[in-house]
Amino acid sequence: MNYFSSNFKLGILGGGQLGKMLLNDTRKFDIYTCVLDPSNEAPCKIACNEFYQGDLMDFDTVYQFGKKVDILTIEIENVNVDALEKLEREGIKIFPSAKTLRTIQNKAKQKLFYIDNNLPTAPFSRFAYKDEILTAIQHETLEFPFVWKSARFGYDGTGVKVVRSHSDLDELPNVECITETLIPFKNELSVIVARNAEGKVKVYPVVEMEFHPEANQVEYVICPARISKEVALKAELVALKTSAAFKHVGLLAVEMFQTKDDDILINEVAPRPHNSGHHTIEASYTSQFEQHLRAILNLPLGKTDSKVGGIMVNLVGAEDYTGDVVYKNIEDIMSMDGVTPHIYGKKQTRPFRKMGHVTIVHEDINEARKIAAEVKKKIKVISE
């Protein structure tokens, strides 16, 4: 099929920053794109060929949008899977598949998938609602501390909480959820696997993630991860095994824990470009966004090696500011060598909202980490 400068149409469900960065590459290749997003202010709006405003969870909206395109992909998992299943039956190609999305959308189903496929993950229990957790604690089948996760619609620190005592339970919503054993770990790692429809696979180098202590959001992504070759190989193999189990097409980001004993446990996966791969735009031969396109269009996969060490710093809204965004001291960081800001195009800031990221590239990853700390200290995402 001819995708380039042709009447082929690629549909993207979700119009946020991941879609916007994906559109940099569709424009590079002159691939015609249609985007659906609930917000008329979506970052993608300025960069796609056709923009539609609508609810991603509404059956008819997603179905009618899917009928307009030849291949459909996502930049967010929370979409109407029933509509995708009907579109697949009618011959629309959807990557990742509706089946994969149905599994990944629900954290309980996702965890059961790991168990069924003999993939390493932390021990867990599933609960239909909050009272069942209280009963389990009373019967001593569940002990403090544990990690509580909402089964549906959790992302970026929402829908996740470490529960250390009875008082922490008060804040939990009454929803379907899982609880996981709190794993003492050395590192949080991530590996992005690309797989095309032919089953050809490429894997990106393992990255290490440093988290913000309060917001439960990634602050720094470091590539290559500062771990031994043995641990890196173990993480890559777990990611490849996970990719094979899902038989996914596109990108699969596999987030993992490196335990105190250097075991690798899967935390969760995302079947799309991911925050842990943003550094690839500057640091890799093939960015994760170009690779996602190559994979879903069944084109040859690009080289995944890094050209240089890369660190990504998330730019999130400062805690005490809500309103029209101002990037304070952005000129200061732009005067630093190897520093590239990416601004997502969200006009309004609020505490901890992802507003952009900054990539730092340097031959020496430890030097890059120092510069990243300076960047983090200097730039502030505030409001007027």
Side-chain angles (χ1 to χ4, degrees):
M1 190 179 228
N2 179 21
Y3 303 112
F4 311 101
S5 302
S6 72
N7 56 10
F8 166 81
K9 288 185 177 180
L10 174 66
I12 304 168
L13 292 172
Q17 63 265 19
L18 296 172
K20 185 182 177 216
M21 288 183 270
L22 188 64
L23 291 170
N24 286 338
D25 289 296
T26 59
R27 292 175 78 113
K28 180 169 80 181
F29 292 145
D30 196 30
I31 293 168
Y32 193 96
T33 52
C34 307
V35 171
L36 175 69
D37 190 84
S39 168
N40 204 31
E41 307 267 289
C44 275
K45 193 175 178 185
I46 59 161
C48 59
N49 298 88
E50 293 177 30
F51 180 80
Y52 297 88
Q53 188 177 359
D55 182 356
L56 296 171
M57 293 305 289
D58 180 68
F59 180 95
D60 285 335
T61 304
V62 172
Y63 175 72
Q64 294 303 334
F65 175 76
K67 296 299 280 179
K68 300 181 202 305
V69 302
D70 300 293
I71 289 180
L72 193 54
T73 190
I74 60 153
E75 64 104 60
I76 186 169
E77 287 90 313
N78 294 334
V79 298
N80 189 301
V81 178
D82 294 335
L84 298 187
E85 284 176 342
K86 186 173 184 195
L87 288 164
E88 279 179 338
R89 287 196 295 273
E90 293 174 11
I92 303 289
K93 289 183 174 171
I94 300 171
F95 306 117
S97 69
K99 186 183 175 194
T100 295
L101 277 173
R102 200 177 275 291
T103 302
I104 288 172
Q105 272 185 354
N106 184 301
K107 289 215 167 62
K109 282 185 182 164
Q110 197 182 133
K111 292 286 280 190
L112 289 167
F113 180 87
Y114 303 145
I115 304 297
D116 291 345
N117 288 279
N118 203 18
L119 295 162
T121 192
F124 77 104
S125 302
R126 66 190 294 195
F127 300 97
Y129 42 86
K130 188 169 155 181
D131 282 356
E132 291 186 351
I133 296 181
L134 301 174
T135 307
I137 291 167
Q138 278 162 5
H139 292 160
E140 296 181 355
T141 54
L142 180 62
E143 291 177 359
F144 298 115
F146 57 84
V147 180
W148 172 91
K149 291 181 180 179
S150 164
R152 305 268 301 178
F153 309 126
Y155 67 96
D156 285 347
T158 63
V160 179
K161 189 172 171 59
V162 177
V163 178
R164 298 184 189 279
S165 65
H166 279 280
S167 59
D168 290 336
L169 291 168
D170 299 341
E171 296 165 32
L172 299 181
N174 189 22
V175 294
E176 185 195 353
C177 58
I178 62 170
T179 63
E180 287 181 345
T181 306
L182 185 61
I183 299 291
F185 57 84
K186 284 186 198 171
N187 271 317
E188 293 204 42
L189 307 173
S190 176
V191 176
I192 292 177
V193 183
R195 184 177 181 275
N196 68 14
E198 282 174 15
K200 297 265 171 55
V201 173
K202 288 268 178 100
V203 63
Y204 281 89
V206 186
V207 304
E208 170 189 347
M209 298 183 286
E210 286 186 28
F211 278 73
H212 184 285
E214 280 96 61
N216 197 27
Q217 269 182 340
V218 177
E219 269 195 306
Y220 301 101
V221 171
I222 301 166
C223 183
R226 298 163 298 183
I227 53 176
S228 71
K229 277 188 179 153
E230 292 76 23
V231 172
L233 184 61
K234 216 185 266 190
E236 275 183 27
L237 289 172
V238 167
L240 285 164
K241 195 177 168 188
T242 309
S243 157
F246 276 111
K247 298 188 182 69
H248 77 106
V249 173
L251 293 189
L252 188 73
V254 186
E255 294 184 67
M256 317 175 215
F257 300 119
Q258 174 191 358
T259 69
K260 294 272 190 279
D261 302 328
D262 287 342
D263 288 327
I264 296 292
L265 298 176
I266 300 165
N267 178 20
E268 55 190 51
V269 298
R272 53 167 169 76
H274 190 253
N275 195 248
S276 66
H278 289 347
H279 63 283
T280 61
I281 298 172
E282 278 80 25
S284 306
Y285 283 95
T286 311
S287 81
Q288 66 163 343
F289 299 98
E290 180 182 326
Q291 195 76 290
H292 183 69
L293 286 175
R294 286 170 175 251
I296 64 175
L297 302 178
N298 204 25
L299 295 165
L301 297 175
K303 181 172 173 171
T304 50
D305 301 34
S306 300
K307 301 181 210 174
V308 65
I311 292 189
M312 190 275 303
V313 179
N314 271 329
L315 289 183
V316 299
E319 266 182 89
D320 302 324
Y321 294 89
T322 300
D324 296 343
V325 67
V326 175
Y327 295 90
K328 192 181 171 191
N329 304 330
I330 193 164
E331 296 86 350
D332 294 352
I333 68 161
M334 289 176 85
S335 70
M336 298 157 82
D337 288 344
V339 172
T340 307
H342 291 255
I343 305 300
Y344 295 158
K346 300 172 185 177
K347 304 289 184 266
Q348 298 288 306
T349 184
R350 58 176 182 265
F352 299 119
R353 187 183 193 195
K354 277 189 191 165
M355 301 298 289
H357 73 262
V358 181
T359 311
I360 297 95
V361 293
H362 200 285
E363 283 77 14
D364 180 347
I365 199 68
N366 295 315
E367 197 54 41
R369 179 64 184 78
K370 283 182 203 157
I371 298 167
E374 270 179 66
V375 166
K376 186 87 184 160
K377 205 160 62 189
K378 275 209 163 89
I379 191 164
K380 292 283 175 273
V381 183
I382 58 171
S383 57
E384 286 175 359

